[in-house]
Amino acid sequence: LALILMATTALPQERDVAKADALFREGRALFKKGEYEAACPKLEESYRLDPAAGTGVSLGDCFEKSGKVASALLAYQAARTLLKPGDPRIGPVEKEISALEKRTPRLAIRLAPGAPEGTEVKRDGRTVEASKLRTPVVVNPGKYKIVVTAPGRESASFRVTLVEGQTRELVVEPGAPVDGVEPRGQTSGTPSQHSAPGQPAPDCASTRRTWGYVAGGVG
C-alpha cells in the first residue's frame, strides 16, 4: 500500500483515467452501502491508475471505516501531498492525519544480541529489511506472525497482537543450532588442528587414512 500511495505521487506512470473513474464510482457506491471490504480495493486500484487527491481521501475514509487505521493514515498522507495550497480539503485531511497518528499501532522488531550473520526476519511472509529493524513502523491493528531464520539454525516464529494506539518492541532470534551445521559468523566448537601445550599432536596417519576412505567413497 505504501508503495502504491507514495510512489504514484512522485513517479511518472501510464494512467487510465477512464477505468480509474469507473472504479472510483463503483467503490463509492459500495462505500455508501457500508460494504467497505469490497469498496476499498476498487478505490485503491482507482488511485493506482490515476492518483487523485479526492480518490486518496475516499480511500483513507474507506480504510478508516474498515478499521485499518495504518492504511488510512498512509492514504490521507498521500492525498495531502496532492492537495494544492488553498484547497478547502487541507484542513479536514490534516485533522484526520493528526487523529490517526495517535490511533495507529506501531511495531518495532529487534534482533537479540548474538544473532548470527545472515539472519532473516519476515513479518507475515514479507521480508523485513535490515535497515528497518529496530524502527517502529505503522501497522493495522491485528495479529502478526514473525518468522526468523538463519544459516545453521532452526527457524523460530513469534506472534504478536496489536490494538489501536499501542507501540510494541519485539525482540526475536533464530532457533537452536542444527546438529552438524556451523552457523556463519560464529566460532565452532571443533578442536584446532594445532595442539595446545601439553596435548598430544593429531594422528597424521589416521588423518591420511580418513581422507583415503573419503576419496574412495567419492570415486
Side-chain angles (χ1 to χ4, degrees):
L1 176 63
L3 290 175
I4 292 172
L5 293 174
M6 300 306 179
T8 52
T9 63
L11 301 177
Q13 63 172 2
E14 183 178 351
R15 299 192 177 193
D16 190 337
V17 178
K19 186 175 181 180
D21 184 63
L23 286 167
F24 177 79
R25 294 177 184 276
E26 292 173 12
R28 287 297 301 174
L30 291 166
F31 177 84
K32 291 178 180 179
K33 295 178 182 178
E35 299 177 15
Y36 307 124
E37 293 299 324
C40 292
K42 291 185 179 294
L43 293 171
E44 188 175 356
E45 178 65 8
S46 174
Y47 185 93
R48 188 187 69 81
L49 294 172
D50 182 30
T55 307
V57 172
S58 293
L59 182 58
D61 195 12
C62 187
F63 279 136
E64 186 177 3
K65 291 290 194 302
S66 60
K68 298 177 180 179
V69 292
S71 299
L73 176 62
L74 292 174
Y76 279 120
Q77 288 174 335
R80 176 63 184 87
T81 64
L82 297 173
L83 293 172
K84 297 180 180 180
D87 193 307
R89 294 173 292 182
I90 290 178
V93 167
E94 290 183 343
K95 185 177 179 181
E96 288 288 348
I97 291 173
S98 178
L100 285 167
E101 285 178 339
K102 297 175 183 178
R103 296 174 54 193
T104 301
R106 287 168 172 77
L107 174 64
I109 301 174
R110 179 166 62 87
L111 284 178
E117 179 186 351
T119 298
E120 183 179 56
V121 179
K122 289 187 177 182
R123 190 188 75 204
D124 287 347
R126 294 178 178 272
T127 300
V128 180
E129 298 177 12
S131 60
K132 298 294 179 65
L133 293 174
R134 302 179 66 93
T135 302
V137 296
V138 296
V139 294
N140 288 313
K143 298 179 180 180
Y144 294 90
K145 180 180 180 181
I146 292 84
V147 176
V148 187
T149 58
R153 301 283 287 269
E154 296 179 352
S155 64
S157 61
F158 304 80
R159 296 183 183 274
V160 60
T161 301
L162 289 102
V163 298
E164 285 194 15
Q166 184 179 21
T167 297
R168 287 196 60 180
E169 182 182 72
L170 183 66
V171 180
V172 300
E173 62 181 337
V178 177
D179 291 341
V181 179
E182 180 182 345
R184 290 186 299 171
Q186 291 189 348
T187 57
S188 169
T190 304
S192 170
Q193 292 182 357
H194 300 283
S195 300
Q199 297 295 325
D203 187 341
C204 295
S206 175
T207 302
R208 286 195 295 271
R209 283 197 300 273
T210 300
W211 279 108
Y213 297 149
V214 171
V218 172

